[in-house]
Amino acid sequence: MKLFAPAKVNLYLRITGRRDDGYHLLDTLMVPISLGDEVEISRVDGPPRSVTIHADASDVPLGEENTVYRAARAFQERTGRDDPIAITIRKRIPIGAGLGGGSTDAAAVLRGLNDLLGAGLSTEDLMAAALSVGADVPFFIRGEAARARGIGEELSPAGPLPRLAMVVLFPNVPVSTAWAYRNFRFKLTKSSNENNLIGKLDTPHEVAQVMVNDLETVTVGRYPRIARLKERLDREGAIGSLMSGSGSAVFGVFADEADAEKAFAGFDGEKDVRAYLAFSLT
């Protein structure tokens, strides 16, 4: 069974607080995009409960540290199934980019195993299993634009959004999500619009007006090239540019597909940056 595992971008990300256990509280608007990995799942001969992972990228861990492995284990624990499983990941989403590559692969495994093995888990069951793997994983179970709060697990539908044409740039520098949150510092004073609710977003220009990411203050300070890539996207005609998640990928939203294609052509094949033409999947 082959599944498409879409990446995501954060159109809006505010840090609203921190729990006693150190986890940060978020208010973020996430949208799946057409850039994605391919995850293939099959039932194989082998010891009960065995999980074997293959990947076409050398920097993908193949053991228990992989979210895909943890997702398979979470599925087995929830269902009691002990079928030996092989999972192949064909990576296109850069690792350490803030695009949700590990989380979306994990969600694909949960959905795929449920279908492949006929386990009959409901969406709510899959969401609960996903949360045990990681805070971003439940978002990819539904695979639709959503506003996430709490530590990312409190999801609500975002409502209709326009189809967004964008250029995604990865500067070939992975960023640790844990490092970014650990080094985030709250401002002593907050701007008046810091925690405003996201209003109705009917056009790409309205989306561009709400694009903000608190974690840029951390990641750009250490990796100034992120800011330079944002500036270049703006020069290429983006109506809004932003770092996704904890970085290091940045993306520009364009007024229409033709503008996005023109900007992408300027980056395609350039050294030291991976460029992707992508569209929102809402």
Side-chain angles (χ1 to χ4, degrees):
M1 173 180 287
K2 295 181 180 179
L3 301 100
F4 176 69
K8 59 83 179 171
V9 293
N10 299 78
L11 297 174
Y12 173 100
L13 195 159
R14 288 294 197 187
I15 310 295
T16 60
R18 186 164 53 199
R19 301 194 315 193
D20 292 340
D21 60 7
Y23 279 95
H24 287 79
L25 301 173
L26 312 177
D27 185 359
T28 184
L29 176 61
M30 297 188 287
V31 60
I33 62 174
S34 57
L35 168 65
D37 294 338
E38 182 183 83
V39 177
E40 185 172 0
I41 307 169
S42 56
R43 193 164 28 190
V44 296
D45 293 330
R49 289 177 53 85
S50 63
V51 177
T52 305
I53 300 173
H54 307 277
D56 62 357
S58 60
D59 50 355
V60 175
L62 303 180
E64 296 181 9
E65 64 273 32
N66 193 316
T67 54
V68 161
Y69 184 95
R70 298 201 302 272
R73 284 283 183 249
F75 178 86
Q76 290 171 336
E77 291 168 6
R78 186 162 287 266
T79 62
R81 299 294 297 252
D82 63 358
D83 309 72
I85 298 160
I87 302 168
T88 299
I89 306 169
R90 298 178 180 90
K91 288 298 293 182
R92 191 157 179 254
I93 305 170
I95 295 173
L99 299 172
S103 295
T104 189
D105 292 347
V109 165
L110 288 169
R111 291 185 287 106
L113 286 175
N114 194 42
D115 291 342
L116 179 68
L117 303 180
L121 293 182
S122 66
T123 299
E124 290 69 26
D125 289 334
L126 289 171
M127 297 276 280
L131 183 58
S132 73
V133 179
D136 277 353
V137 183
F139 165 76
F140 290 106
I141 294 294
R142 292 193 184 276
E144 59 189 18
R147 189 175 184 182
R149 282 170 274 195
I151 61 172
E153 86 288 7
E154 298 175 15
L155 295 170
S156 56
L161 293 175
R163 183 175 184 265
L164 300 174
M166 61 188 74
V167 174
V168 181
L169 302 176
F170 176 62
N172 290 318
V173 176
V175 170
S176 163
T177 299
W179 170 84
Y181 279 99
R182 189 167 59 247
N183 286 277
F184 177 77
R185 298 292 180 265
F186 287 96
K187 297 176 184 178
L188 293 178
T189 59
K190 295 189 176 184
S191 62
S192 60
N193 67 343
E194 180 114 346
N195 291 317
N196 283 354
L197 294 177
I198 299 167
K200 194 174 182 181
L201 304 175
D202 290 329
T203 69
H205 285 87
E206 289 177 342
V207 170
Q209 291 300 309
V210 304
M211 287 171 59
V212 64
N213 185 344
D214 283 345
L215 289 174
E216 283 188 351
T217 61
V218 178
T219 310
V220 169
R222 183 168 179 178
Y223 304 101
R225 188 159 179 251
I226 292 173
R228 293 196 294 270
L229 287 175
K230 285 184 59 184
E231 291 167 1
R232 186 165 167 199
L233 283 166
D234 294 339
R235 291 196 303 270
E236 294 289 342
I239 58 176
S241 60
L242 197 67
M243 184 181 79
S244 183
S246 55
S248 59
V250 301
F251 65 98
V253 170
F254 291 80
D256 55 41
E257 185 172 338
D259 286 351
E261 289 176 344
K262 181 179 177 181
F264 171 72
F267 290 101
D268 191 24
E270 186 170 315
K271 292 182 179 180
D272 300 324
V273 63
R274 278 185 262 173
Y276 307 89
L277 178 65
F279 302 91
S280 61
L281 298 180
T282 56

